[in-house]
Amino acid sequence: MGVKLCSSDNKEFEVDMKIATQSTLIRNLLDDVGETDEAIPLPNVTEKVLDKIIEYCTHHMDDPPALNEEYDDLPKRSDDIEPWDEKFIDVDQELLFEILLASNYMDIKPLLDLGCKTVANMIRNKSAEEIRKMFNILDDFTEEEREQIRKENEWAEDH
């Protein structure tokens, strides 16, 4: 049985139930309304991003399900990314953040974790200035505010 998904730009995708229900949002919606021929609208997900999410869910459709509450309590590492996942998530920064937002909206925890691990790896061992430059973040602290932050966080500095 297939499920129709509709992106924010009105592109419809028909996917296998096993693929669609990796999203807790879609699984809960189908539990509430039952099987439907209507396309499930995903107003926060563009065609390009939904296509990537379907690619990810198709690859992982036979993975064992996450352990729900226990899954959230497990310690997370950012150096345990599978080769296929690493290649999949090797996208430009804009698409990476769109995937993060969509996987959060659709509640696909393993994909959200993959995106977060990727960002964690991007900023590992970078200074605040390097991170600001990487993500185009404006430094709007005054010199006094910067000095106050340095004093409050002296314990974290490498000596």
Side-chain angles (χ1 to χ4, degrees):
M1 145 98 195
V3 176
K4 290 181 192 166
L5 306 175
C6 185
S7 67
S8 62
D9 35 3
N10 293 316
K11 173 71 171 145
E12 282 193 16
F13 294 82
E14 184 151 357
V15 297
D16 187 271
M17 180 72 76
K18 200 171 181 180
I19 294 166
T21 55
Q22 288 182 57
S23 162
T24 303
L25 172 78
I26 294 171
R27 186 172 51 250
N28 290 343
L29 192 122
L30 290 172
D31 287 346
D32 291 344
V33 299
E35 293 179 16
T36 178
D37 290 333
E38 302 275 321
I40 297 171
L42 297 168
N44 298 344
V45 185
T46 64
E47 172 185 355
K48 181 178 181 181
V49 175
L50 186 53
D51 192 47
K52 285 293 282 182
I53 288 173
I54 291 169
E55 178 186 351
Y56 176 87
C57 290
T58 300
H59 180 80
H60 288 282
M61 74 177 174
D62 293 322
D63 290 0
L67 305 170
N68 297 335
E69 290 81 34
E70 293 174 30
Y71 180 82
D72 291 334
D73 294 336
L74 293 173
K76 302 290 190 288
R77 299 172 47 148
S78 64
D79 60 351
D80 60 348
I81 299 175
E82 297 291 327
W84 187 92
D85 289 345
E86 199 168 334
K87 188 171 189 253
F88 167 83
I89 204 72
D90 185 18
V91 295
D92 65 69
Q93 210 177 86
E94 182 181 352
L95 182 55
L96 172 62
F97 284 102
E98 288 177 20
I99 290 170
L100 274 166
L101 290 170
S103 60
N104 185 51
Y105 168 70
M106 294 178 69
D107 200 356
I108 306 171
K109 287 189 187 324
L111 180 54
L112 180 60
D113 282 349
L114 173 61
C116 290
K117 287 176 182 184
T118 301
V119 172
N121 289 335
M122 289 168 68
I123 65 174
R124 178 174 284 125
N125 299 322
K126 301 266 190 299
S127 69
E129 186 56 40
E130 290 171 313
I131 293 169
R132 273 195 292 274
K133 187 174 181 181
M134 180 185 296
F135 297 120
N136 295 317
I137 299 170
L138 180 65
D139 181 4
D140 57 356
F141 287 115
T142 65
E143 194 51 48
E144 294 80 27
E145 289 170 324
R146 261 192 232 98
E147 189 56 39
Q148 179 66 31
I149 291 168
R150 270 189 225 101
K151 284 181 184 174
E152 290 173 358
N153 295 289
E154 281 180 343
W155 60 270
E157 294 294 318
D158 291 332
H159 294 281

